[in-house]
Amino acid sequence: MTDFDVIVVGGGPAGSMAAEAAARGGAKTLLLEKDRDIGYPVRCGEGVGASGLKQFIEPDPQWIAATISRVRMRSPDNTKVDFGMKDAGYVLHRRLFDYALANRAGNAGAEIQTRAYVDGLMVEEGAVKGVKYQYMGENRELSTKIVIAADGVESRVGRMAGMRTATKLRDMDSGYQATVGNVDIDQEMIDFFIGSNWAPGGYLWIFPKGNGMANIGLGVNGKVAKDFSAHDLTHKFLNEHFPKASILTSVCGGIPIAKTLKTITKDGIMLTGDAARMVNPVTGGGIITGMVGGRIAGEVAATALQTGDLTPNGFKDYPARWQKAEGKTHDGLHRVADAIFEITDEKLNKMAHRLAKIPPDELSLMKIFTAVARQKPSILIDVTRAFAGV
Amino acid sequence: MILVKDNRCDFCGTCVAVCPVDAIELREADISIIHDTCIDCDICIWVCPIDVLSSDEKKEEVKHD
Ligand SMILES: Cc1cc2nc3c(=O)[nH]c(=O)nc-3n(C[C@H](O)[C@H](O)[C@H](O)COP(=O)(O)OP(=O)(O)OC[C@H]3O[C@@H](n4cnc5c(N)ncnc54)[C@H](O)[C@@H]3O)c2cc1C
């Protein structure tokens, strides 16, 4: 007898979805979170697409900060390209949203423990058999049949199992964000600044948070992060564009814009969410994709417990279903990101001048990225596949 | 040797994710560099969004100018 069937490490969206799915599938499940709080600190712009969200949970006014219907993209010379969003989006209060997801996992039967820092795995003959963790200065051990590592960008639990999770610099954006008040912005629009002046290799975002507040942050690509500080650029931007803004919170964080790890399972362990590098490589969005990955991992864990095959063979539906759902698209988007990287500010300006002439209701993400693909036709198929209907 | 500037780390884990040799340990509000494992490649310094990491070589450079 093991203490648990499934132990999930990490209480973000991926971990909570995994724990919920495993518990619903009949597994005796425990979720361990190192921080004092589920959902805090919030290292996230908190933007999600509506249809992505609704496949998992009905939007609840308690954790919806703003509803988005318009998008603005700005080129380095501040040319504005505006268009409507076919699929409306939301800016969340993740602190409450993450709570809601964890609460749902708890209601499904999963046990949840905070202040529990996993610092090792029990491994026998190459197979993961349990976790070691610290709770309030006390070392504890629990045996389990399956570990689901949803430990976010750090992804150390996978390393403890001997998996390669380290991310290349090119595949990491160095991010910083301030949640600010007293800003006069359109509360239904998300606003992006692209180009090397504000966010070299990444982008700057303004996401409304209701009541005159906004998340304003940016990511600098790791390849050029040596020469730029995400913190300094954000504050420079705030000084220039919103000198009266009050800074209510500021956080930093890494956004792994990599392809999904080649190997996301090993004997007795599955990796999911940021830990498995499931973030959209172009947008840096990882909330919904982490939920997709987490739910599949939890479901496959529950099935594998029934068959008793706790090897990568028993888990093989997990990578297969992930590849079909998002992984394949992400591989293409990774190539698109590479192409965007190569576009000079001058070319971005030219593209923006052209696109700005198109009426907002005729413009779409698909059209914008097709313009990008014109710079590098080999990515046209990737663009079509990823943005059809968006 | 990689050094963490006093009390300025935000514990976001970006450095942990790129460390090629798993030489950074991070808890809720505690970061430590495992100096025996660290290979001084410095990429953690570059990727840190708030520049709280440095190497002692850099420290000396600063002293000299
Ligand atoms: C600045 C920034 C802006 C972003 N903006 C957006 C956005 O607008 N939209 C979007 O969709 N995505 C965004 N992302 C990405 C998004 O935040 C992540 O992809 C998402 O949180 C991933 O969910 P997760 O559950 O995999 O990991 P996380 O939410 O990071 O959760 C991992 C959890 O594991 C815990 N943990 C880690 N190690 C251990 C351990 N050893 N033991 C126990 N617990 C552990 C952590 O404390 C954490 O709570 C942004 C990211 C950053 C950094």
Side-chain angles (χ1 to χ4, degrees), chain A residues 9-15 32-35 43-48 94 98 116-119 150-154 157 160 175-177 205 207 252-255 272-275 279 284-288 290:
Chain A
V9 185
L32 297 173
E33 166 57 50
K34 75 172 156 62
D35 288 346
R43 302 185 189 283
C44 187
E46 308 178 279
V48 292
R94 265 199 65 185
D98 285 21
Y117 174 68
V118 173
D119 61 353
D151 54 327
V153 69
E154 295 158 46
V157 175
M160 292 167 195
Y176 184 86
Q177 174 181 275
W205 63 86
F207 289 179
C252 58
I255 309 153
T272 197
D274 275 19
V279 172
I287 301 172
I288 302 298

Side-chain angles (χ1 to χ4, degrees), chain A residues 373 377-387:
Chain A
S378 61
I379 62 162
L380 190 57
I381 293 172
D382 298 324
V383 164
T384 313
R385 203 180 276 141
F387 295 102

Side-chain angles (χ1 to χ4, degrees), chain A residues 43 134 156 159 167 174 254, chain B residues 10 14 16-17 19 22 27 47:
Chain A
R43 302 185 189 283
Q134 294 178 19
R156 287 195 77 215
R159 296 201 205 196
T167 294
S174 172
Chain B
D10 196 38
T14 310
V16 178
C19 177
D22 201 16
R27 287 154 208 228
V47 90

Side-chain angles (χ1 to χ4, degrees), chain A residues 220-242:
Chain A
V220 173
N221 187 265
K223 236 171 39 177
V224 291
K226 188 180 179 192
D227 302 317
F228 299 95
S229 150
H231 164 274
D232 293 355
L233 284 165
T234 307
H235 284 279
K236 187 165 170 256
F237 179 85
L238 287 172
N239 281 337
E240 279 184 30
H241 288 257
F242 299 102

